[in-house]
Amino acid sequence: MQAYSLFEGSFSVDASKKFIPFDASKDSKKDRPGSIFIHVHPFLIESANGLLLLDTGIGHTNPEGGLQLHDNIQKVGFDPGDVRYVLLSHLHKDHASGMVVEKEGNFRLAFPDAEYVVQQGEWEDAYSGKSDSYKTEIFDVLQRSGNLVLVDGDGTLNNEISYEVSGGHTPHHQVFHIHVGGEHYFYGGDEAPEPEQFFRQFAAKYDYDGRRSMALRQQYWDQGSVEGWIFLMYHSTNIAIGRPQPKESGGYRLVDATE
């Protein structure tokens, strides 16, 4: 495997859109009515063109003030300074807050040698003021850095990475196809965030276009299961990196690709 989960924690989210840490050993779901319970998994992929980071998490820090995301990258055996592409599905705060780190009271890029790839429309929407799911003070740092790469529509970054505007979770949400080590990795961001959603069709109220997201999940699964994609699922509470496996009765199940 050349893909790694950079697990950042377990959280509950209610109508306030706040991500509150949830520890199943001491916290009860009954005490958080109206909440959904999710994990947060940025992903790291080792490629011939350098390390690829898929979304950047909530931006939690360790007791010394260092970025937890940096620690997690080091735990899987890599140097955060070697990240060459930060591939952002969208810019909601639970996916983009780790793009910077605070040092001596100032925000700096967390990955100063990386190109940060964002859809042009998503960037403009983030600054529109229409949603409190964006933290524009973080984006200001990226805008000044010279590391921002705005893309418009579907395209290819290099011989390993391609992207598609999907537009279900946000109007300009994008997904990524990454071909490394003979594998096809698919990252669907918040349009394919949990394995259960491939098998239980519903239109989510938290999506910009819930019906579109529902149709896209079915499309991704129908194609990816047959072609053997490895699915990277950002909010999964069980299988974060999954591979389709044929069932004796026909069709496919999803199994943990790391085992």
Side-chain angles (χ1 to χ4, degrees):
M1 288 291 295
Q2 292 176 269
Y4 306 86
S5 162
L6 305 174
F7 177 62
E8 198 167 12
S10 177
F11 303 88
S12 67
V13 188
D14 60 16
S16 70
K17 298 182 181 179
K18 293 181 179 178
F19 285 71
I20 303 172
F22 180 81
D23 184 344
S25 68
K26 63 179 182 179
D27 299 324
S28 172
K29 291 184 178 181
K30 294 180 180 180
D31 295 332
R32 303 188 186 184
S35 296
I36 60 173
F37 297 85
I38 59 174
H39 289 180
V40 171
H41 301 267
F43 294 98
L44 190 74
I45 296 181
E46 185 181 10
S47 86
N49 291 287
L51 294 179
L52 317 177
L53 180 62
L54 295 152
D55 285 344
T56 65
I58 290 180
H60 283 177
T61 55
N62 60 32
E64 292 74 38
L67 195 63
Q68 181 182 331
L69 184 59
H70 284 172
D71 295 342
N72 292 347
I73 291 172
Q74 291 170 340
K75 285 177 183 177
V76 296
F78 297 96
D79 185 340
D82 291 335
V83 172
R84 292 295 171 260
Y85 289 96
V86 177
L87 307 176
L88 291 150
S89 64
H90 63 299
L91 296 174
H92 284 173
K93 54 191 174 185
D94 60 312
H95 288 253
S97 295
M99 65 167 60
V100 301
V101 61
E102 186 175 358
K103 292 184 177 180
E104 300 175 353
N106 297 307
F107 284 123
R108 301 178 184 178
L109 281 190
F111 304 97
D113 293 323
E115 295 182 349
Y116 288 64
V117 180
V118 183
Q119 276 290 325
Q120 174 83 42
E122 179 70 12
W123 186 258
E124 294 171 358
D125 288 346
Y127 277 102
S128 70
K130 295 178 181 178
S131 172
D132 59 3
S133 293
Y134 297 106
K135 294 170 67 173
T136 54
E137 65 272 21
I138 288 177
F139 311 145
D140 292 343
V141 177
L142 178 57
Q143 190 169 42
R144 295 191 298 266
S145 69
N147 295 50
L148 175 63
V149 176
L150 292 174
V151 295
D152 189 6
D154 302 348
T156 300
L157 285 177
N158 55 38
N159 62 326
E160 295 177 317
I161 306 167
S162 63
Y163 51 88
E164 299 171 0
V165 177
S166 46
H169 183 62
T170 68
H172 300 94
H173 185 286
Q174 65 183 342
V175 300
F176 293 93
H177 295 268
I178 299 167
H179 296 266
V180 298
E183 300 282 11
H184 180 165
Y185 294 93
F186 173 75
Y187 179 57
D190 268 358
E191 285 160 3
E194 300 177 88
E196 295 82 5
Q197 294 187 1
F198 290 125
F199 310 107
R200 182 169 59 90
Q201 294 299 301
F202 67 96
K205 293 181 179 179
Y206 51 72
D207 284 330
Y208 164 73
D209 187 338
R211 291 188 177 276
R212 178 170 178 79
S213 290
M214 180 174 65
L216 284 168
R217 285 192 289 273
Q218 189 65 54
Q219 173 187 321
Y220 298 145
W221 178 251
D222 287 348
Q223 182 178 357
S225 59
V226 173
E227 296 182 3
W229 298 358
I230 295 179
F231 292 88
L232 307 175
M233 294 160 286
Y234 191 84
H235 287 308
S236 177
T237 58
N238 46 75
I239 298 173
I241 302 176
R243 184 191 299 275
Q245 181 184 80
K247 297 190 293 187
E248 292 182 3
S249 58
Y252 295 83
R253 64 170 62 89
L254 195 71
V255 299
D256 194 329
T258 63
E259 295 181 352

PDB file of all heavy atoms in Angstrom, residues 227-239:
ATOM      1  N   GLU A 227     -13.756  -2.005 -11.602  1.00  0.00           N
ATOM      2  CA  GLU A 227     -12.391  -1.697 -12.031  1.00  0.00           C
ATOM      3  C   GLU A 227     -11.359  -1.832 -10.912  1.00  0.00           C
ATOM      4  O   GLU A 227     -10.162  -1.662 -11.157  1.00  0.00           O
ATOM      5  CB  GLU A 227     -12.351  -0.275 -12.602  1.00  0.00           C
ATOM      6  CG  GLU A 227     -13.208  -0.126 -13.863  1.00  0.00           C
ATOM      7  CD  GLU A 227     -13.138   1.269 -14.466  1.00  0.00           C
ATOM      8  OE1 GLU A 227     -12.373   2.121 -13.948  1.00  0.00           O
ATOM      9  OE2 GLU A 227     -13.848   1.505 -15.457  1.00  0.00           O
ATOM     10  N   GLY A 228     -11.812  -2.131  -9.704  1.00  0.00           N
ATOM     11  CA  GLY A 228     -10.882  -2.373  -8.605  1.00  0.00           C
ATOM     12  C   GLY A 228     -10.253  -1.137  -8.003  1.00  0.00           C
ATOM     13  O   GLY A 228      -9.108  -1.182  -7.529  1.00  0.00           O
ATOM     14  N   TRP A 229     -11.014  -0.029  -7.971  1.00  0.00           N
ATOM     15  CA  TRP A 229     -10.489   1.162  -7.330  1.00  0.00           C
ATOM     16  C   TRP A 229     -10.284   0.920  -5.834  1.00  0.00           C
ATOM     17  O   TRP A 229     -10.990   0.118  -5.215  1.00  0.00           O
ATOM     18  CB  TRP A 229     -11.459   2.330  -7.454  1.00  0.00           C
ATOM     19  CG  TRP A 229     -11.773   2.789  -8.839  1.00  0.00           C
ATOM     20  CD1 TRP A 229     -11.277   2.318 -10.020  1.00  0.00           C
ATOM     21  CD2 TRP A 229     -12.702   3.824  -9.181  1.00  0.00           C
ATOM     22  NE1 TRP A 229     -11.826   2.988 -11.076  1.00  0.00           N
ATOM     23  CE2 TRP A 229     -12.702   3.928 -10.595  1.00  0.00           C
ATOM     24  CE3 TRP A 229     -13.521   4.672  -8.438  1.00  0.00           C
ATOM     25  CZ2 TRP A 229     -13.505   4.843 -11.262  1.00  0.00           C
ATOM     26  CZ3 TRP A 229     -14.326   5.587  -9.107  1.00  0.00           C
ATOM     27  CH2 TRP A 229     -14.313   5.676 -10.497  1.00  0.00           C
ATOM     28  N   ILE A 230      -9.344   1.648  -5.249  1.00  0.00           N
ATOM     29  CA  ILE A 230      -9.218   1.719  -3.798  1.00  0.00           C
ATOM     30  C   ILE A 230      -9.862   3.028  -3.354  1.00  0.00           C
ATOM     31  O   ILE A 230      -9.470   4.108  -3.809  1.00  0.00           O
ATOM     32  CB  ILE A 230      -7.750   1.642  -3.356  1.00  0.00           C
ATOM     33  CG1 ILE A 230      -7.168   0.272  -3.710  1.00  0.00           C
ATOM     34  CG2 ILE A 230      -7.634   1.882  -1.857  1.00  0.00           C
ATOM     35  CD1 ILE A 230      -5.714   0.103  -3.347  1.00  0.00           C
ATOM     36  N   PHE A 231     -10.871   2.913  -2.497  1.00  0.00           N
ATOM     37  CA  PHE A 231     -11.649   4.070  -2.066  1.00  0.00           C
ATOM     38  C   PHE A 231     -11.075   4.640  -0.770  1.00  0.00           C
ATOM     39  O   PHE A 231     -10.857   3.903   0.204  1.00  0.00           O
ATOM     40  CB  PHE A 231     -13.108   3.668  -1.851  1.00  0.00           C
ATOM     41  CG  PHE A 231     -13.836   3.304  -3.113  1.00  0.00           C
ATOM     42  CD1 PHE A 231     -13.820   2.007  -3.595  1.00  0.00           C
ATOM     43  CD2 PHE A 231     -14.540   4.269  -3.829  1.00  0.00           C
ATOM     44  CE1 PHE A 231     -14.498   1.662  -4.762  1.00  0.00           C
ATOM     45  CE2 PHE A 231     -15.224   3.938  -4.996  1.00  0.00           C
ATOM     46  CZ  PHE A 231     -15.204   2.631  -5.465  1.00  0.00           C
ATOM     47  N   LEU A 232     -10.851   5.946  -0.756  1.00  0.00           N
ATOM     48  CA  LEU A 232     -10.373   6.661   0.420  1.00  0.00           C
ATOM     49  C   LEU A 232     -11.551   7.451   0.981  1.00  0.00           C
ATOM     50  O   LEU A 232     -12.076   8.341   0.310  1.00  0.00           O
ATOM     51  CB  LEU A 232      -9.225   7.602   0.048  1.00  0.00           C
ATOM     52  CG  LEU A 232      -8.053   6.963  -0.722  1.00  0.00           C
ATOM     53  CD1 LEU A 232      -7.046   8.035  -1.123  1.00  0.00           C
ATOM     54  CD2 LEU A 232      -7.390   5.880   0.100  1.00  0.00           C
ATOM     55  N   MET A 233     -11.966   7.155   2.230  1.00  0.00           N
ATOM     56  CA  MET A 233     -13.217   7.689   2.774  1.00  0.00           C
ATOM     57  C   MET A 233     -12.955   8.516   4.021  1.00  0.00           C
ATOM     58  O   MET A 233     -12.643   7.997   5.096  1.00  0.00           O
ATOM     59  CB  MET A 233     -14.181   6.521   3.031  1.00  0.00           C
ATOM     60  CG  MET A 233     -14.601   5.865   1.705  1.00  0.00           C
ATOM     61  SD  MET A 233     -15.255   4.184   1.873  1.00  0.00           S
ATOM     62  CE  MET A 233     -13.735   3.272   2.202  1.00  0.00           C
ATOM     63  N   TYR A 234     -13.091   9.806   3.873  1.00  0.00           N
ATOM     64  CA  TYR A 234     -12.618  10.802   4.826  1.00  0.00           C
ATOM     65  C   TYR A 234     -13.303  10.743   6.179  1.00  0.00           C
ATOM     66  O   TYR A 234     -12.680  11.011   7.203  1.00  0.00           O
ATOM     67  CB  TYR A 234     -12.808  12.189   4.212  1.00  0.00           C
ATOM     68  CG  TYR A 234     -12.146  13.319   4.951  1.00  0.00           C
ATOM     69  CD1 TYR A 234     -10.803  13.614   4.740  1.00  0.00           C
ATOM     70  CD2 TYR A 234     -12.858  14.129   5.836  1.00  0.00           C
ATOM     71  CE1 TYR A 234     -10.189  14.668   5.402  1.00  0.00           C
ATOM     72  CE2 TYR A 234     -12.251  15.179   6.496  1.00  0.00           C
ATOM     73  CZ  TYR A 234     -10.914  15.452   6.281  1.00  0.00           C
ATOM     74  OH  TYR A 234     -10.306  16.497   6.933  1.00  0.00           O
ATOM     75  N   HIS A 235     -14.589  10.430   6.220  1.00  0.00           N
ATOM     76  CA  HIS A 235     -15.327  10.461   7.482  1.00  0.00           C
ATOM     77  C   HIS A 235     -15.713   9.071   7.982  1.00  0.00           C
ATOM     78  O   HIS A 235     -16.580   8.936   8.851  1.00  0.00           O
ATOM     79  CB  HIS A 235     -16.588  11.318   7.344  1.00  0.00           C
ATOM     80  CG  HIS A 235     -16.324  12.792   7.287  1.00  0.00           C
ATOM     81  ND1 HIS A 235     -15.568  13.447   8.229  1.00  0.00           N
ATOM     82  CD2 HIS A 235     -16.720  13.733   6.391  1.00  0.00           C
ATOM     83  CE1 HIS A 235     -15.509  14.738   7.919  1.00  0.00           C
ATOM     84  NE2 HIS A 235     -16.200  14.944   6.821  1.00  0.00           N
ATOM     85  N   SER A 236     -15.080   8.042   7.476  1.00  0.00           N
ATOM     86  CA  SER A 236     -15.463   6.685   7.852  1.00  0.00           C
ATOM     87  C   SER A 236     -15.146   6.382   9.310  1.00  0.00           C
ATOM     88  O   SER A 236     -14.086   6.741   9.820  1.00  0.00           O
ATOM     89  CB  SER A 236     -14.746   5.666   6.964  1.00  0.00           C
ATOM     90  OG  SER A 236     -15.068   4.352   7.370  1.00  0.00           O
ATOM     91  N   THR A 237     -16.078   5.679   9.959  1.00  0.00           N
ATOM     92  CA  THR A 237     -15.853   5.232  11.336  1.00  0.00           C
ATOM     93  C   THR A 237     -15.391   3.777  11.385  1.00  0.00           C
ATOM     94  O   THR A 237     -15.204   3.227  12.468  1.00  0.00           O
ATOM     95  CB  THR A 237     -17.142   5.380  12.160  1.00  0.00           C
ATOM     96  OG1 THR A 237     -18.180   4.627  11.542  1.00  0.00           O
ATOM     97  CG2 THR A 237     -17.554   6.842  12.262  1.00  0.00           C
ATOM     98  N   ASN A 238     -15.216   3.140  10.223  1.00  0.00           N
ATOM     99  CA  ASN A 238     -14.689   1.774  10.205  1.00  0.00           C
ATOM    100  C   ASN A 238     -13.618   1.616   9.136  1.00  0.00           C
ATOM    101  O   ASN A 238     -12.441   1.724   9.439  1.00  0.00           O
ATOM    102  CB  ASN A 238     -15.828   0.746  10.061  1.00  0.00           C
ATOM    103  CG  ASN A 238     -16.827   1.124   8.991  1.00  0.00           C
ATOM    104  OD1 ASN A 238     -16.549   1.003   7.810  1.00  0.00           O
ATOM    105  ND2 ASN A 238     -18.012   1.587   9.396  1.00  0.00           N
ATOM    106  N   ILE A 239     -13.983   1.372   7.904  1.00  0.00           N
ATOM    107  CA  ILE A 239     -12.991   1.188   6.841  1.00  0.00           C
ATOM    108  C   ILE A 239     -12.693   2.542   6.200  1.00  0.00           C
ATOM    109  O   ILE A 239     -13.549   3.129   5.543  1.00  0.00           O
ATOM    110  CB  ILE A 239     -13.493   0.203   5.771  1.00  0.00           C
ATOM    111  CG1 ILE A 239     -13.735  -1.179   6.382  1.00  0.00           C
ATOM    112  CG2 ILE A 239     -12.490   0.104   4.624  1.00  0.00           C
ATOM    113  CD1 ILE A 239     -14.392  -2.159   5.422  1.00  0.00           C
TER     114      ILE A 239
END
